[in-house]
Amino acid sequence: MIELEHVHRVFKVGDQEVHALNDVSLRIEGGEYVAIMGPSGSGKSTLLNILGLLDRPTTGSYRLDGENVTTLSDQAQANTRRDKIGFVFQFFHLVPRLTAAENIELPLMLAGVQPSERKHRVQQILEAVGLADRAHHKPDQLSGGQRQRVAIARATIMQPTVILADEPTGNLDRASGDEVIEVLENLNREKITLIIVTHDPEIGGRTLREIYMVDGKIERDETRRGR
Amino acid sequence: MIELEHVHRVFKVGDQEVHALNDVSLRIEGGEYVAIMGPSGSGKSTLLNILGLLDRPTTGSYRLDGENVTTLSDQAQANTRRDKIGFVFQFFHLVPRLTAAENIELPLMLAGVQPSERKHRVQQILEAVGLADRAHHKPDQLSGGQRQRVAIARATIMQPTVILADEPTGNLDRASGDEVIEVLENLNREKITLIIVTHDPEIGGRTLREIYMVDGKIERDETRRGR
Ligand SMILES: Nc1ncnc2c1ncn2[C@@H]1O[C@H](COP(=O)(O)OP(=O)(O)OP(=O)(O)O)[C@@H](O)[C@H]1O
Ligand SMILES: Nc1ncnc2c1ncn2[C@@H]1O[C@H](COP(=O)(O)OP(=O)(O)OP(=O)(O)O)[C@@H](O)[C@H]1O
Ligand SMILES: [Mg+2]
Ligand SMILES: [Mg+2]
């Protein structure tokens, strides 16, 4: 379902080059539950951005559901992203002018879902992440962890085939973090591929597979048995 | 040194009111090392913003070093903030057009420190937070945890009398987080008051005093003995 082969991502800063991803190959099947861990600056967000079709490799290929997405036009990539991928950004990227409910509703509107069904689904997910009483707050009227939960709700409300979550519990206490992980794991139980970048070893311990990165390379890729 | 008495902070959202801080009183002496913990949305950032003179109480008073700062003009508050307080924001607020080194240098320039001394001090702190090789990157060319470390360096380079850090390790792996906490604790050893909002119980466990908030109130305020 996800196949990266010999992916490199090089950034230029002035005349310096940063090799953010250095020969990364991996294969993730539909429905897997994977943690990506590693030190700050090791390439986790860069890898997730490529998987989420928000960035392209400098060299190497990416096949998603058998299709080589590296060679798609920007518009075609955007369509595939909208149809298949839910992305929880490390720093949320909520729309400042919209309320929490409106931010979460956005993907449903773009997909042409009817108003009554939209209202119902938004209400449901707001309750699932504990934000029913913050529905009409704009992002700057929310706490850091509340914004993070809005980002998670927005990314998951369309039940995409792949959910990519970049540090989804970084701003959350243990209780709210568990609530969020439960929402994500419930979706994974319905066969949605779930890939979580995290610094939290407790979350890493819940997944069946852990990919550990150092300096742009995959240092370890371990699948746990007997769970 | 820090004295809050019966502080309330009420936000209005439409015709709804959010009681973000609800009768908070506390006293922190110079040189203390305090953790503020509690669930997402409990009022931690709101409390820190008031302590950092970035926000005012709706009612109640705040005395800093014996001076009632609640009644100061905006300009006078800004001066006190610049002179006494180093603030590490939950979401960093770095200047997008400036490099990491320039962001960190900014407080020194505003204070009129000479160029050669500025360069030396910026280099020193970049090394302390492990970012010497990222000096010329702008914020959008840095990882999440790297931006967090720039924010920490900027907040601490002037050796303010009070450091307020809002979730300073939220985006960091254990190793980088320890590095950052070490920088902050070294400053505390030089009698700088250190107040850290954190969701990480390991950091909470390192402080001598823990303030635990729930729904805008201080539920517990415990000082550990025998350390
Ligand atoms: N400008 C605002 N307008 C309305 N409500 C606000 C505003 N800022 C914060 N709030 C509300 O006040 C409460 C406290 O927010 P605060 O940011 O202090 O929480 P926090 O403890 O820092 O949470 P987190 O751990 O998620 O960062 C939250 O419920 C939030 O929705
Ligand atoms: N646009 C860019 N230009 C230049 N360098 C970049 C850019 N984006 C990222 N980098 C560099 O690439 C490396 C990997 O960045 P990335 O954001 O993937 O790290 P990360 O593993 O997500 O880190 P963190 O845990 O701190 O979020 C970092 O060293 C960073 O400085
Ligand atoms: Mg990252
Ligand atoms: Mg906060």
Side-chain angles (χ1 to χ4, degrees):
Chain A
M1 115 143 280
I2 283 176
E3 255 183 299
L4 296 185
E5 289 199 358
H6 301 298
V7 163
H8 293 258
R9 181 63 174 101
V10 180
F11 293 109
K12 293 191 71 57
V13 181
D15 44 350
Q16 195 199 347
E17 283 196 341
V18 178
H19 215 136
L21 293 180
N22 189 350
D23 199 9
V24 169
S25 299
L26 65 86
R27 189 188 164 93
I28 298 175
E29 305 296 337
E32 282 200 56
Y33 180 12
V34 186
I36 300 178
M37 305 188 68
S40 173
S42 54
K44 305 179 299 297
S45 293
T46 304
L47 173 58
L48 220 66
N49 288 340
I50 285 176
L51 292 178
L53 299 175
L54 295 160
D55 191 17
R56 292 176 190 269
T58 308
T59 61
S61 69
Y62 173 21
R63 302 185 77 80
L64 176 62
D65 293 339
E67 175 182 32
N68 186 341
V69 289
T70 334
T71 53
L72 293 178
S73 69
D74 285 354
Q75 185 57 52
Q77 274 205 354
N79 293 342
T80 304
R81 189 167 70 235
R82 188 201 54 217
D83 295 341
K84 294 193 170 189
I85 296 168
F87 206 110
V88 187
F89 294 91
Q90 191 166 3
F91 301 109
F92 324 146
H93 298 308
L94 301 179
V95 181
R97 284 180 294 105
L98 300 182
T99 64
E102 290 165 346
N103 264 285
I104 293 167
E105 191 184 17
L106 210 44
L108 299 177
M109 293 184 68
L110 295 174
V113 176
Q114 294 305 308
S116 57
E117 183 180 350
R118 293 201 309 255
K119 295 279 170 275
H120 168 70
R121 284 167 69 171
V122 169
Q123 183 59 29
Q124 204 174 26
I125 206 163
L126 279 169
E127 287 169 15
V129 296
L131 288 180
D133 60 354
R134 290 289 179 271
H136 307 301
H137 286 228
K138 297 206 173 74
D140 65 355
Q141 296 171 321
L142 293 172
S143 78
Q146 290 167 345
R147 287 177 214 166
Q148 190 153 37
R149 285 179 272 161
V150 173
I152 288 155
R154 177 183 66 176
T156 56
I157 196 163
M158 286 290 288
Q159 306 227 339
T161 63
V162 185
I163 291 171
L164 305 170
D166 200 344
E167 318 253 8
T169 63
N171 287 285
L172 300 176
D173 55 289
R174 183 53 65 195
S176 317
D178 288 349
E179 233 170 36
V180 150
I181 292 302
E182 188 168 337
V183 167
L184 295 173
E185 290 182 354
N186 284 340
L187 293 166
N188 177 246
R189 274 188 263 284
E190 296 169 40
K191 298 276 160 268
I192 292 173
T193 309
L194 177 56
I195 301 170
I196 302 182
V197 166
T198 184
H199 285 304
D200 187 345
E202 243 179 81
I203 295 174
R206 298 172 69 107
T207 65
L208 283 169
R209 178 176 173 188
E210 186 185 315
I211 292 173
Y212 193 86
M213 297 187 65
V214 178
D215 282 340
K217 286 184 168 292
I218 292 181
E219 173 148 300
R220 279 200 317 271
D221 184 348
E222 295 177 343
T223 302
R224 280 175 261 263
R225 309 255 162 253
R227 264 174 161 254
Chain B
M1 118 140 280
I2 282 175
E3 253 180 303
L4 295 184
E5 289 198 0
H6 300 298
V7 163
H8 294 258
R9 181 63 173 99
V10 180
F11 294 108
K12 292 192 72 58
V13 181
D15 43 353
Q16 196 199 348
E17 285 195 338
V18 178
H19 215 136
L21 293 180
N22 189 350
D23 198 9
V24 169
S25 298
L26 65 86
R27 188 188 164 90
I28 298 175
E29 305 296 337
E32 281 200 54
Y33 180 12
V34 186
I36 300 177
M37 305 188 69
S40 173
S42 54
K44 307 179 297 297
S45 293
T46 305
L47 174 59
L48 219 66
N49 288 340
I50 284 175
L51 292 178
L53 298 175
L54 295 161
D55 190 18
R56 292 173 190 273
T58 308
T59 60
S61 69
Y62 173 21
R63 303 186 77 80
L64 177 62
D65 293 339
E67 175 183 33
N68 186 342
V69 288
T70 335
T71 53
L72 292 179
S73 69
D74 285 353
Q75 186 56 52
Q77 273 205 354
N79 293 342
T80 304
R81 188 168 69 236
R82 187 201 54 219
D83 294 340
K84 294 194 170 188
I85 296 169
F87 206 109
V88 186
F89 294 91
Q90 193 166 3
F91 300 110
F92 325 145
H93 299 309
L94 301 180
V95 180
R97 285 181 293 106
L98 301 183
T99 65
E102 290 165 347
N103 263 286
I104 293 167
E105 192 184 17
L106 209 44
L108 298 178
M109 292 183 70
L110 294 174
V113 175
Q114 294 306 309
S116 56
E117 182 180 350
R118 293 200 311 254
K119 296 278 171 277
H120 168 70
R121 285 168 68 171
V122 169
Q123 184 57 27
Q124 205 173 24
I125 205 164
L126 279 169
E127 288 169 14
V129 296
L131 288 178
D133 60 353
R134 291 288 179 272
H136 307 301
H137 286 229
K138 296 205 175 72
D140 67 354
Q141 297 170 322
L142 293 171
S143 79
Q146 290 167 344
R147 286 177 214 166
Q148 190 152 37
R149 285 180 269 161
V150 173
I152 288 154
R154 178 183 64 177
T156 56
I157 197 163
M158 287 289 288
Q159 306 228 340
T161 61
V162 185
I163 291 171
L164 304 170
D166 200 345
E167 319 254 8
T169 64
N171 287 287
L172 299 176
D173 55 289
R174 183 54 65 194
S176 317
D178 287 349
E179 233 170 36
V180 148
I181 293 302
E182 188 169 336
V183 167
L184 295 174
E185 289 182 353
N186 284 340
L187 293 167
N188 177 245
R189 274 188 263 286
E190 297 169 39
K191 299 275 160 265
I192 291 174
T193 309
L194 177 56
I195 302 169
I196 301 182
V197 166
T198 184
H199 284 303
D200 187 343
E202 245 181 77
I203 295 173
R206 297 171 70 107
T207 64
L208 283 168
R209 178 177 172 189
E210 185 185 317
I211 292 172
Y212 193 85
M213 298 187 64
V214 178
D215 282 339
K217 287 183 166 294
I218 292 181
E219 174 148 299
R220 277 201 318 271
D221 185 348
E222 295 178 343
T223 303
R224 277 175 262 263
R225 311 255 163 254
R227 264 175 162 252

